[in-house]
Amino acid sequence: MTSPIMKPEQHVLTTMEKDGSRNWLFPRLSKGSYWHARRIVGYLLIAIFVALPHLEVNGKPAILLDLVHRKFNLMGMTLLATDTLLFGMFTLSIFLTAFLATALLGRIWCGWGCPQTVYMEFVYRPIERLLMGTAGKGGKPRKAVAGWRHVAMYSLFFGISIGLAHTFLAYFVGTKTLAAWMQTSPFSHPGPFLVMAVTTAAMMFDFAFFREQMCLIACPYGRFQSVLLDRHSLIVTYDERRGESRGKVKNKQRATRQITPTTAVHQIAVSTDVTSVADLLPQLKTSNANDAAQLGDCVDCDACVRTCPTGIDIRDGLQMECLHCTQCIDACDVIMEKLNRPKGLIRYSSQSAIAGHTQKLIRARVIIYPALLLIVLAGLTFTVVTKKSFDVTILRNLGQPYVIAGDGRVENAMRLKLVNRLEQKDQFTVQVLSPDSVQIDFNESVVLQSEESLTVGVLASASRDAFHVGQIDVKLEIQSQLGDRKVVTCKLLGP
């Protein structure tokens, strides 16, 4: 019987066979100039990730995201959960930087900086190739692999995942606390131990099983590229005009086949006395009469496909699955060198340049993104520079907005919340700057310990005739003993 369901002619996903089973990818290793550059960048990023929790700036961890106490140390600066403006501008600057980088350089983050790519290609996959017998070259093992090699490989995967999970945890609890926990029973700190265990399991699942499917299925960045890229963005692309039509080349054709018509004309001109291009045409036809019928530079060797970590064919054009890891560039350049042809059949270029159009460097998105980024960074810098050593918030008491005392003065009961951001004790005083008719019942100073917060009551009063349309704008000055001051404005309500 024939099935009423049509069978697919090719893979819908590179990791899925026609019957729905998993197609395991074993990409070959292409050690070209881009690969060497990516390896340097990758190991540098790994070193930074491992070292940052151990570094200190101004006596504080370089990065410590203390979610429990809602305190965040970033390069010597302490941020609290109330610094929402700083967090918002910082997050917005990251997104704008990603938008700008994508508009200019394509998915350079995916191929060069993403932890998924860095750890997969420069940590886990080299271990796999070493124990599977394909070290230095990659590809699928040609013979069955002994069981002990699988055990050794997954054991190393597990050990590395544990180390990375502990490093990840150090960003949230600090290296000193983590070192103390590692020497005690997990039952004394079950929460952090569970975080470490879940992170380890997630890494094992990702790098040992899920792998490239994280980029193909789970990660949304590839789907965003359709709106982040334009035809002038720099991408990894195949020169179809030069490469097509594809076809194999016999050994005897490698030495006689001309690279391009321009190169052929130059070679004939060197060996003759003819200087006119018109005079060269007959000799060009004679020396290479079959040039017009020759195939393109692509010999259809599929080296670019075999080396791709996501299993795609870059010759099919720009695809969501392409990570811009440049492995296809390195693989193709090796083939071109062997065939005595110029490199760059697959290269960094743009869709517009490949199609033979003018490359536009200045366009709307590369002007708007930097402009917005500059504005956000300026605001972020201003906010950081003008940040005080303490925070103050004025809150009105619940109940009646005001009361009229026996002497006829209008009283407003408020609460003053002070937060000491320093890691040392500080003392605060409050006084009225304007208007002179307002008095406050706050004669004593407030002492706060390191990073302590306190809410105190403040009673402000003014004569009845001082109110205009039922309110008074009051400026209060809060002065710290260490020299920092802040002026806040509040409203007194009255008849």
Side-chain angles (χ1 to χ4, degrees):
M1 293 179 60
T2 59
S3 173
I5 301 177
M6 296 179 62
K7 295 183 178 180
E9 297 181 358
Q10 58 183 358
H11 293 160
V12 178
L13 290 176
T14 57
T15 56
M16 182 184 296
E17 298 289 359
K18 295 179 180 180
D19 59 358
S21 61
R22 174 74 178 271
N23 175 35
W24 288 90
L25 300 181
F26 297 92
R28 292 192 64 85
L29 182 61
S30 299
K31 294 183 178 180
S33 58
Y34 283 109
W35 179 83
H36 287 290
R38 285 176 57 237
R39 183 173 64 167
I40 293 174
V41 173
Y43 287 143
L44 180 61
L45 291 175
I46 293 174
I48 293 174
F49 172 74
V50 175
L52 271 180
H54 301 273
L55 301 179
E56 292 187 354
V57 179
N58 297 332
K60 304 176 183 178
I63 295 182
L64 178 59
L65 309 176
D66 191 349
L67 298 178
V68 176
H69 299 95
R70 294 178 294 176
K71 183 178 67 175
F72 311 94
N73 292 331
L74 298 175
M75 296 302 171
M77 181 177 60
T78 300
L79 300 179
L80 304 178
T82 53
D83 294 322
T84 53
L85 179 60
L86 280 174
F87 286 116
M89 289 191 294
F90 178 72
T91 304
L92 183 58
S93 66
I94 292 177
F95 279 105
L96 288 174
T97 302
F99 294 166
L100 177 59
T102 305
L104 292 174
L105 304 173
R107 294 178 64 178
I108 191 172
W109 164 253
C110 294
W112 293 73
C114 179
Q116 175 73 21
T117 303
V118 169
Y119 285 103
M120 187 73 247
E121 298 302 322
F122 300 112
V123 177
Y124 287 87
R125 215 183 285 280
I127 294 175
E128 179 188 45
R129 288 167 178 160
L130 175 64
L131 293 173
M132 295 295 104
T134 60
K137 57 183 179 180
K140 189 174 183 179
R142 295 184 178 181
K143 56 182 179 179
V145 179
W148 69 268
R149 289 180 175 269
H150 286 280
V151 174
M153 180 182 71
Y154 288 113
S155 298
L156 286 175
F157 283 178
F158 184 68
I160 293 174
S161 298
I162 290 179
L164 293 177
H166 278 81
T167 302
F168 175 76
L169 185 60
Y171 278 87
F172 298 91
V173 300
T175 53
K176 296 180 180 178
T177 302
L178 180 63
W181 284 347
M182 293 174 64
Q183 301 175 26
T184 59
S185 170
F187 295 103
S188 62
H189 49 275
F193 179 79
L194 180 62
V195 172
M196 186 278 300
V198 171
T199 305
T200 301
M203 288 185 177
M204 278 294 295
F205 173 77
D206 181 23
F207 293 112
F209 175 77
F210 206 53
R211 300 192 153 197
E212 63 281 338
Q213 294 190 113
M214 174 65 70
C215 307
L216 302 180
I217 300 175
C219 181
Y221 190 83
R223 292 161 177 83
F224 291 157
Q225 71 174 354
S226 60
V227 294
L228 297 179
L229 294 176
D230 58 27
R231 294 190 61 82
H232 301 281
S233 300
L234 199 62
I235 60 175
V236 175
T237 183
Y238 164 71
D239 191 345
E240 185 176 355
R241 295 193 304 164
R242 173 185 157 187
E244 301 296 327
S245 303
R246 310 171 195 171
K248 304 294 183 180
V249 178
K250 298 180 180 179
N251 291 333
K252 64 180 181 180
Q253 291 178 318
R254 293 183 180 178
T256 59
R257 181 178 178 187
Q258 305 301 321
I259 297 174
T260 62
T262 303
T263 306
V265 169
H266 174 71
Q267 292 175 350
I268 296 175
V270 170
S271 60
T272 63
D273 296 330
V274 181
T275 58
S276 172
V277 175
D279 294 336
L280 285 175
L281 293 179
Q283 297 188 42
L284 177 60
K285 293 179 180 180
T286 303
S287 63
N288 201 1
N290 296 325
D291 270 357
Q294 278 187 343
L295 299 172
D297 278 354
C298 180
V299 295
D300 206 17
C301 62
D302 286 340
C304 56
V305 179
R306 290 194 296 268
T307 197
C308 179
T310 57
I312 67 169
D313 190 342
I314 191 64
R315 296 170 297 181
D316 293 338
L318 180 63
Q319 299 159 71
M320 182 272 292
E321 298 86 353
C322 180
L323 305 179
H324 292 186
C325 69
T326 67
Q327 276 286 273
C328 55
I329 297 180
D330 288 332
C332 187
D333 284 349
V334 171
I335 302 300
M336 293 296 104
E337 284 183 341
K338 292 180 178 180
L339 297 177
N340 296 321
R341 301 176 189 172
K343 299 179 182 180
L345 180 59
I346 301 175
R347 62 183 183 272
Y348 266 123
S349 186
S350 67
Q351 292 177 294
S352 179
I354 288 293
H357 303 303
T358 304
Q359 175 71 22
K360 294 182 180 179
L361 298 178
I362 304 301
R363 49 198 193 275
R365 67 182 63 201
V366 299
I367 296 176
I368 296 174
Y369 290 155
L372 294 177
L373 181 60
L374 184 62
I375 294 173
V376 173
L377 290 179
L380 180 62
T381 303
F382 177 79
T383 305
V384 171
V385 171
T386 58
K387 196 70 179 175
K388 303 297 183 180
S389 63
F390 64 92
D391 291 334
V392 57
T393 305
I394 296 181
L395 305 171
R396 300 192 64 85
N397 276 356
L398 300 178
Q400 293 181 347
Y402 65 90
V403 296
I404 301 178
D407 58 357
R409 295 181 64 86
V410 180
E411 297 179 343
N412 282 235
M414 298 180 294
R415 290 169 293 163
L416 191 67
K417 182 179 181 180
L418 293 169
V419 179
N420 181 16
R421 304 176 66 94
L422 302 178
E423 295 186 354
Q424 55 182 315
K425 182 174 67 174
D426 201 354
Q427 186 173 342
F428 302 91
T429 58
V430 181
Q431 63 179 355
V432 178
L433 289 182
S434 65
D436 296 335
S437 59
V438 176
Q439 299 177 357
I440 60 171
D441 184 11
F442 194 90
N443 297 324
E444 298 182 358
S445 60
V446 177
V447 178
L448 295 181
Q449 299 299 324
S450 170
E451 300 178 352
E452 182 185 5
S453 63
L454 180 65
T455 301
V456 295
V458 177
L459 184 64
S461 63
S463 60
R464 184 165 185 161
D465 56 0
F467 288 86
H468 301 282
V469 199
Q471 62 183 17
I472 302 176
D473 290 331
V474 181
K475 289 185 178 181
L476 299 179
E477 180 190 54
I478 296 88
Q479 179 77 39
S480 74
Q481 188 180 29
L482 299 179
D484 222 346
R485 63 183 292 271
K486 181 178 290 188
V487 177
V488 296
T489 302
C490 62
K491 289 183 181 296
L492 296 188
L493 301 180

